[in-house]
Amino acid sequence: MPSKYRALAAVVTTVLLWASAFVVIRVLGEELSPGSLAFARLVVGTVALALVALRHRRPLPRGRALAFVLGYGVLWFAGYTVVLNWAERHLDAGTAALLVNVAPILVAVVAGVLFREGFPRPVMIGMLVAFTGVLVIAVGGGGGGVVDTLGIGLGLVSAVLYAAGVLMQKVALRSVDAVTATWVGCAAGLVATLPFAPQAVVELSHASAGSIAGVVFLGIGPTAIAFTTWAYALARTDAGRMAATTLCVPGIAVLVSWVTLGEMPTALGLLGGALCLTGVAISRRKPRVVEPVPAQVADEPCESAA
């Protein structure tokens, strides 16, 4: 399979798993507190990633690269996960996904300046269309969801942590492979959530089998697999275009919550989801390269009269 199709498959895998995570987190929030859920998820994710990393046996990052990996691990794996879990105790899954996906806008702007990725027209147009879809979903609502001021604030904090994590990860991936970067980052997040370990042990001992299965799914799917496929694709494209792709997550999250939780999306919600997908498709297009027009060959000089 050509590299560009492998990267596309990685992006699709990431988006689908991350969209489903919003719904699973919403369900698990009824039995597990934000910190406990984050710790348990990262335990599963770290173990799964360690098994893969041992098979590949890649060198561990050092120096500046290690600092960036640890930084995004604490911000994204730990901070973002805890705050998002907390937010979804106050927000329905669709609204949480909407607020978190303010992050791609932040990533595209910062990456355009700091990483000199510029502002390609397809990415900017695609993000505008996709973000319009996000706003349409916000206006239309997800159907029967719960929203309060604290939840909105937490959702926006999650977006900032997400954006900071992506930008730090982009720098780390210049010298660290995707599997190692994801594994070490996840382990750093696990260490940061160790204070929640005692509470997690107590809550998990009383949790239902379905909740434990949900934690395992979050650790293996949206964490171990999705973060690895994300890192793989991010290392092969610019941060702005990758971030724009995740703008379709809210639309998918709304549909999944409709099917699984019975949160019926409105007509505007469905329209917004379609706009998100359209915007992402536009952002993935490469700018058209205009071929230079060859210079006309000068007419040969006329021979002088005899």
Side-chain angles (χ1 to χ4, degrees):
M1 181 185 294
S3 177
K4 66 176 182 180
Y5 292 117
R6 289 199 298 269
L8 178 60
V11 171
V12 172
T13 300
T14 300
V15 167
L16 292 177
L17 288 172
W18 280 357
S20 65
F22 284 98
V23 179
V24 176
I25 290 171
R26 176 72 174 156
V27 174
L28 295 182
E30 298 178 359
E31 291 193 56
L32 301 174
S33 60
S36 297
L37 177 55
F39 173 78
R41 172 181 178 175
L42 292 175
V43 167
V44 176
T46 301
V47 171
L49 287 165
L51 295 175
V52 176
L54 287 174
R55 180 180 178 183
H56 285 265
R57 297 184 181 277
R58 301 290 176 82
L60 293 175
R62 296 181 179 180
R64 183 169 177 266
L66 177 60
F68 277 105
V69 171
L70 295 178
Y72 93 75
V74 172
L75 289 177
W76 200 357
F77 280 96
Y80 164 81
T81 303
V82 172
V83 176
L84 175 61
N85 293 345
W86 188 7
E88 290 210 48
R89 296 170 75 92
H90 301 270
L91 302 172
D92 59 88
T95 303
L98 291 171
L99 292 171
V100 167
N101 276 275
V102 172
I105 309 296
L106 302 176
V107 172
V109 172
V110 176
V113 177
L114 293 183
F115 299 158
R116 298 182 180 180
E117 294 180 356
F119 302 92
R121 182 176 296 180
V123 174
M124 293 298 102
I125 294 176
M127 292 189 70
L128 179 61
V129 173
F131 191 65
T132 300
V134 169
L135 295 178
V136 169
I137 297 175
V139 172
V146 178
V147 180
D148 63 27
T149 304
L150 176 59
I152 292 174
L154 291 171
L156 293 176
V157 172
S158 299
V160 173
L161 292 171
Y162 169 6
V166 170
L167 294 168
M168 295 185 73
Q169 184 188 41
K170 179 63 177 177
V171 177
L173 288 172
R174 293 173 179 172
S175 57
V176 184
D177 67 280
V179 173
T180 303
T182 307
W183 171 52
V184 176
C186 189
L190 174 60
V191 172
T193 58
L194 278 176
F196 301 108
Q199 185 179 6
V201 171
V202 173
E203 293 182 4
L204 287 171
S205 66
H206 296 89
S208 64
S211 293
I212 294 175
V215 170
V216 173
F217 167 76
L218 287 176
I220 295 177
T223 303
I225 296 176
F227 272 91
T228 301
T229 52
W230 162 271
Y232 175 86
L234 182 62
R236 289 159 177 77
T237 186
D238 59 74
R241 182 171 279 108
M242 275 295 295
T245 304
T246 62
L247 280 169
C248 67
V249 168
I252 299 174
V254 168
L255 292 177
V256 174
S257 63
W258 173 22
V259 174
T260 59
L261 303 181
E263 295 177 352
M264 180 71 71
T266 63
L268 285 177
L270 294 174
L271 174 61
L275 285 173
C276 288
L277 294 173
T278 301
V280 169
I282 294 173
S283 71
R284 299 294 299 180
R285 295 181 59 187
K286 293 183 178 180
R288 182 178 299 176
V289 178
V290 180
E291 295 292 338
V293 179
Q296 293 183 352
V297 180
D299 294 333
E300 295 182 1
C302 297
E303 295 181 357
S304 300

